[in-house]
Amino acid sequence: MNKKSIFTSVITVIALGLLLSLGTSRMGVDAASTNRNDVPTKTDDGYKPDMSNGADNFYKSKKVNKKKVTFNNQYNMKVAGNLFTPKGLKKKTKNPAIIVGHPMGAVKEQSANLYAQKMAEKGFVTLSLDLSFWGESEGQPRNAVSPDIYAEDFSAAVDFLGTRPFVDRDRIGVLGICGSGSFAISAAKIDPRIKAIATVSMYDMGAANRNGLNHSQTLEQRKKILEEAAEQRYVEFTGGKTKYTSGTVHELTENSTAIEREFYDFYRTPRGEFTPKGSSPELTTHPTLTSNVKFINFYPFEDIETISPRPMLFVTGENAHSREFSEDAYKLAGEPKELYLVPGAGHVDLYDRVNLIPFDKLGAFFKENLKKK
């Protein structure tokens, strides 16, 4: 087996916290643990998405105002976002605010806008953002992985919100979905201005890339991945074509895993598919091969206890294949903290299924922890 084949067969994690074409038993995940409602149905004209439990990724609220905004991070990279404010917001008062981060490899139009609007309906100023290198935010090459810059984007969002006259800079929280949960934690460890942290369907992108799900990846397999990425650097340094990795599969077969089907139903069907300007359906969700290995050096849960006494809420699906990451973070975090399991929910269910997502729980968490002192 050549290096390329070895690499393809062993890498277990993709940007967005998705998995490549590995059998679920090999990943340590029982197919029964994944919500089978997420499996799309094949029709004559393609795959019909599963819109059960109120799936509504492209929700547009009539109760909030939306404004496109941009701001710079400390590296002078333009970060793009959508600012949502409740209609009737008193602009002469100071209001609490929440920053919402999208799944890794996605963009703000996928899950983040939905959560931001739902939280704005509960009275918060909210900001969904595109992480650098993705969506409408700057950064070259496109789809690059840089955990430190991702975390910086959250702090830059605090800079932006904290200088709005209608935002109370002492009452700003973050809500990270999937991979953004780990980036939000990374930011909160060094940015005390972030007063409350909630994660939903969190992936520890570092642990996932180092170890695979349930520690199913060996050290030897990891080294093969690193060798492949290192050799590709020579190709690109000498002007060769950029290579991409992982991401959501572009077609399903009878051998597709339950997890592949779960993500396909969201990212490759009208349920959640979105291609940003300047990108293409072939590249969406796929990080560059040479940069994806930077996750190996990413340890968001190390020193997570130092965030205390700022509160943390970890929301995960009862049946989510990513549940281990929320449980790990909860064990390591200091008080106050809470682990909240959503009955019957899988990982991607909590991206957009409004009948399953505990918006009231999230609203109560931020209302309590971002209230005036």
Side-chain angles (χ1 to χ4, degrees):
M1 183 181 292
N2 60 32
K3 287 185 177 180
K4 182 177 180 181
S5 297
I6 293 172
F7 175 76
T8 302
S9 68
V10 301
I11 187 170
T12 57
V13 178
I14 60 180
L16 294 174
L18 315 186
L19 303 211
L20 277 176
S21 302
L22 296 172
T24 52
S25 60
R26 185 173 172 187
M27 291 184 293
V29 178
D30 189 327
S33 70
T34 301
N35 191 333
R36 299 306 298 174
N37 287 336
D38 289 321
V39 179
T41 302
K42 183 70 179 294
T43 63
D44 291 339
D45 58 351
Y47 283 91
K48 180 180 179 181
D50 174 10
M51 301 300 291
S52 64
N53 289 305
D56 198 3
N57 177 69
F58 298 106
Y59 174 72
K60 292 184 178 180
S61 176
K62 297 180 179 180
K63 302 177 182 179
V64 306
N65 294 315
K66 171 187 172 184
K67 179 181 180 182
K68 295 178 74 69
V69 298
T70 60
F71 50 92
N72 286 351
N73 64 23
Q74 282 196 326
Y75 302 104
N76 287 323
M77 298 167 66
K78 183 180 295 183
V79 178
N82 289 325
L83 182 67
F84 297 98
T85 54
K87 289 185 176 179
L89 180 79
K90 297 179 180 179
K91 293 294 185 73
K92 293 184 179 180
T93 64
K94 298 288 188 179
N95 299 276
I98 303 170
I99 301 158
V100 183
H102 58 73
M104 174 58 209
V107 291
K108 62 185 179 300
E109 287 79 10
Q110 293 166 312
S111 195
N113 278 351
L114 168 62
Y115 274 77
Q117 289 177 90
K118 290 293 187 178
M119 291 297 100
E121 288 178 348
K122 295 182 180 297
F124 300 96
V125 174
T126 61
L127 174 67
S128 63
L129 72 160
D130 281 328
L131 295 176
S132 293
F133 309 103
W134 299 90
E136 296 179 293
S137 290
E138 290 184 343
Q140 294 291 337
R142 303 308 294 166
N143 298 19
V145 168
S146 181
D148 284 348
I149 295 180
Y150 296 162
E152 161 59 23
D153 291 338
F154 281 92
S155 286
V158 176
D159 296 338
F160 173 79
L161 287 173
T163 53
R164 301 309 97 185
F166 50 88
V167 171
D168 186 340
R169 63 173 56 180
D170 293 322
R171 293 192 289 156
I172 298 175
V174 296
L175 196 169
I177 304 161
C178 189
S180 276
S182 58
F183 310 141
I185 288 173
S186 182
K189 288 193 297 184
I190 59 173
D191 194 337
R193 300 174 302 169
I194 297 173
K195 302 301 184 182
I197 303 94
T199 68
V200 177
S201 287
M202 178 169 57
Y203 250 80
D204 175 347
M205 295 304 299
N209 277 273
R210 284 188 297 275
N211 308 319
L213 289 178
N214 295 320
H215 293 262
S216 59
Q217 181 171 274
T218 67
L219 178 58
E220 184 60 30
Q221 289 172 331
R222 183 198 306 174
K223 288 181 177 179
K224 293 295 184 182
I225 294 169
L226 296 176
E227 289 172 5
E228 173 74 10
E231 287 300 314
Q232 179 63 21
R233 290 182 65 110
Y234 284 128
V235 173
E236 294 175 18
F237 185 80
T238 54
K241 187 176 181 180
T242 299
K243 191 172 182 179
Y244 298 85
T245 188
S246 45
T248 305
V249 298
H250 291 271
E251 62 179 28
L252 297 178
T253 70
E254 61 182 15
N255 296 320
S256 296
T257 67
I259 294 175
E260 286 177 317
R261 293 173 184 275
E262 181 182 2
F263 282 109
Y264 183 99
D265 189 55
F266 183 80
Y267 287 106
R268 302 299 182 207
T269 74
R271 175 183 161 196
E273 193 281 328
F274 185 87
T275 301
K277 183 179 180 180
S279 186
S280 69
E282 289 72 31
L283 294 183
T284 57
T285 79
H286 298 292
T288 62
L289 170 63
T290 56
S291 70
N292 195 62
V293 295
K294 288 179 170 57
F295 278 133
I296 301 295
N297 281 341
F298 182 49
Y299 291 84
F301 297 169
E302 189 168 308
D303 293 331
I304 190 176
E305 73 278 3
T306 62
I307 294 175
S308 176
R310 287 173 288 158
M312 304 190 74
L313 171 64
F314 307 102
V315 176
T316 187
E318 177 188 24
N319 300 326
H321 65 262
S322 59
R323 177 173 164 175
E324 62 177 292
F325 302 120
S326 293
E327 292 177 335
D328 288 346
Y330 174 75
K331 291 175 184 176
L332 294 170
E335 296 288 351
K337 61 183 178 179
E338 182 179 358
L339 176 65
Y340 186 84
L341 298 180
V342 180
H347 177 86
V348 180
D349 285 334
L350 299 185
Y351 283 12
D352 67 333
R353 300 194 190 283
V354 297
N355 295 345
L356 293 177
I357 299 170
F359 290 118
D360 287 344
K361 177 68 177 179
L362 290 163
F365 170 78
F366 284 114
K367 182 178 181 179
E368 172 63 25
N369 294 297
L370 296 180
K371 64 184 179 183
K372 287 185 177 180
K373 300 298 184 180

